[in-house]
Amino acid sequence: MARKVGIYTRISRDDEGEALGVARQRTDCERLADLRTWQPVKVYEDNDVSAFKRNVVRDEFELMLKDLKAGLIDGVVAYDLDRLARQPRDLERLIEIFDERPRLEFATVTNDVNLGSADGRTMARIMVAFANKSSHDTSRRIKRKHLELAQQGKSNGGPAPYGWRRDDRNKVDPEAAKHIREAQKEVLAGVRIGTIRTRWQEEGLGNPREGTKRMAHHHVEHILTNPRLVGYRTYHGEILYDGDGKPVMGEWDPINTVEDWEAVCAAIAERKQDRAGQSLARKYLLSGIARCGLCKAKIRGQVNRKWQPGSKGAQYTYQCSKVNGGCGKVGRVGEPVDKLIARLVLQEQREKAKATGIPAEGRWPREQELEDRLADIAQLIEAEKAKTITLSTLLQLLPDKERERDALKLERARFYKEQKQAEAKGSTANMTEEEFFDLPIERQREIVLHSLTAVIIHPAGRGKRKFDPALIDPVWR
């Protein structure tokens, strides 16, 4: 009876995506199996998958090992040993299975290695060690090439990031750039990344990866804070600096100004720090802002389970809950309360805008001081290169200058963050109620909390009653 074997094929890169390399391997492996009178029962194909990178999982390779161990196949045929393994640990896993099942078959097209014998295993270990070294050498050369390209401000190739044209990754895609700027403005206005992500998913924005149903939160955050937006070249995720301590500029067109980009980065970083581990998601305008008029516990909105689309009942209510430590005695239909509070808040902010006016936009006053610190650092480095100061002297003077530089950069980012946040939030002086409720819920709450610290909802008594605004008591700041 013919031995049942699996054919394993793999190629590290398939830029065209046509799988021609693995197809050629399969043909040669099938021919070898016929010569050995073995019966190929399954092809395990890892196309465009590295066997050298430690963080890469080869799904078909793992399945092949499981099938070998379970006795579903009696051996393996591969084009070459380095198609199977370029990491010694992967070879050892295969050898362990051959130890457990001594009668397993093994063959490669390019050479004759017998994993069933001690000599064959020794030879296989030597061959994989050399293949591993070859991959290390190639990786080192590629990294050096990428670093050189980065230092010159050039791209490494690959698909264009979201915001740039697919046919020319150095030219801005106007439509995508517009969506990025709008999302950044929303972030500065207090809108969550999750809200932006949901909208982008619905509208097909952000170049989500093929085959994924959901866009990752960190993917959207990276798009909005990518240093590439201001033309900065990065290397391994960090901004690359030249010999004078200035960011290396890429050869592509920028989308943001430095001030806009720093403001968005600072706003996101501040939000993470201030609210680490806390969810910013809110479904109802006054959840956590409203309080019970009897026990003063926070009231949260909740859906009315009896409500049906098209019915006259209330879709949601604000209810004091015993589960949240309240008395459970106060509840109110949500929509009239929200409309009342929106009307009062907008009216209050219109009156304030008339009295105070809108502050004019200004530049950060310490810009020249930062330029001087950057010049000081560049001069010190240049002096050490020219041998007018020693390396020891440089290392004594440099840290203080760098600390001053970093502190000034942080202050600049904070200044523009506050300025851009004010611009993004805009004036509510002319905002209508309809425009207010068209905003994302985070932005609505931001406007309300700018004027109010709480909303007290007093009990209305038993039975059905007409909505009474007098029982809703806003607490002004």
Side-chain angles (χ1 to χ4, degrees), residues 75 105 183 308 328 410 430:
E105 304 289 358
Q308 296 292 330
L410 182 62
N430 300 315

Side-chain angles (χ1 to χ4, degrees), residues 75-363:
V76 177
V77 179
Y79 183 79
D80 193 278
L81 187 61
D82 67 2
R83 299 302 88 199
L84 273 169
R86 277 184 175 263
Q87 287 290 352
R89 61 179 182 175
D90 288 337
L91 176 63
E92 295 303 325
R93 293 170 64 197
L94 189 60
I95 288 175
E96 283 180 11
I97 297 174
F98 273 75
D99 271 338
E100 294 172 3
R101 300 185 61 203
R103 297 186 67 247
L104 286 177
E105 304 289 358
F106 182 80
T108 62
V109 174
T110 57
N111 49 58
D112 192 12
V113 178
N114 182 11
L115 290 183
S117 69
D119 290 343
R121 293 174 188 180
T122 300
M123 181 58 68
R125 289 179 174 120
I126 293 172
M127 292 171 67
V128 168
F130 273 98
N132 183 264
K133 182 182 183 304
S134 174
S135 293
H136 266 294
D137 293 340
T138 302
S139 175
R140 184 178 66 252
R141 289 192 295 270
I142 290 173
K143 286 178 180 177
R144 183 65 187 88
K145 176 186 175 183
H146 286 176
L147 176 58
E148 184 178 356
L149 289 172
Q151 290 169 335
Q152 296 171 358
K154 296 180 179 179
S155 300
N156 289 335
Y162 185 65
W164 286 266
R165 287 165 46 183
R166 295 190 178 186
D167 59 339
D168 187 347
R169 66 194 328 271
N170 290 335
K171 298 295 182 183
V172 171
D173 179 345
E175 191 66 23
K178 183 184 78 170
H179 291 303
I180 289 174
R181 293 190 191 102
E182 288 174 351
Q184 289 175 326
K185 191 173 181 180
E186 287 182 300
V187 168
L188 291 167
V191 178
R192 294 184 311 118
I193 296 288
T195 300
I196 297 168
R197 179 191 64 183
T198 300
R199 191 183 75 248
W200 276 18
Q201 281 181 182
E202 292 172 351
E203 297 177 5
L205 305 177
N207 286 355
R209 292 181 179 178
E210 293 184 8
T212 56
K213 294 182 179 179
R214 297 191 62 188
M215 187 183 297
H217 182 283
H218 66 84
H219 179 61
V220 179
E221 184 177 304
H222 175 70
I223 290 175
L224 302 181
T225 60
N226 190 352
R228 181 185 171 94
L229 293 168
V230 288
Y232 290 166
R233 183 63 168 88
T234 59
Y235 185 69
H236 290 319
E238 299 290 335
I239 297 173
L240 195 64
Y241 292 89
D242 60 20
D244 295 330
K246 295 181 180 179
V248 173
M249 302 303 294
E251 55 188 7
W252 51 85
D253 298 332
I255 289 176
N256 286 150
T257 64
V258 173
E259 293 83 0
D260 289 337
W261 175 73
E262 284 187 344
V264 173
C265 293
I268 290 176
E270 185 180 75
R271 189 181 299 178
K272 287 180 177 179
Q273 185 176 4
D274 292 346
R275 302 173 185 177
Q278 298 181 25
S279 173
L280 301 177
R282 291 289 187 273
K283 193 173 181 179
Y284 304 103
L285 176 62
L286 299 179
S287 284
I289 299 175
R291 288 183 178 270
C292 174
L294 293 178
C295 68
K296 304 303 183 290
K298 287 184 177 182
I299 292 178
R300 302 187 184 280
Q302 60 185 39
V303 67
N304 184 349
R305 299 181 185 278
K306 297 180 181 179
W307 180 83
Q308 296 292 330
S311 68
K312 295 182 180 180
Q315 182 177 358
Y316 64 96
T317 61
Y318 290 112
Q319 181 68 47
C320 181
S321 172
K322 292 183 179 180
V323 175
N324 295 321
C327 63
K329 297 179 180 179
V330 173
R332 196 61 43 83
V333 173
E335 188 175 355
V337 179
D338 286 354
K339 288 184 176 180
L340 172 65
I341 294 301
R343 186 164 61 251
L344 293 174
V345 165
L346 291 176
Q347 181 181 345
E348 189 261 355
Q349 293 184 12
R350 277 193 291 269
E351 292 172 357
K352 274 189 176 180
K354 289 178 183 178
T356 60
I358 301 174
E361 179 181 325
R363 299 289 299 174

Side-chain angles (χ1 to χ4, degrees), residues 345-346 349 425 428 431 436 439 442-452:
V345 165
L346 291 176
Q349 293 184 12
K425 291 174 183 176
T428 55
M431 185 178 290
F436 174 85
L439 296 172
E442 298 94 339
R443 181 73 183 103
Q444 296 176 26
R445 289 171 58 83
E446 187 94 24
I447 293 172
V448 168
L449 288 170
H450 185 73
S451 296
L452 303 178

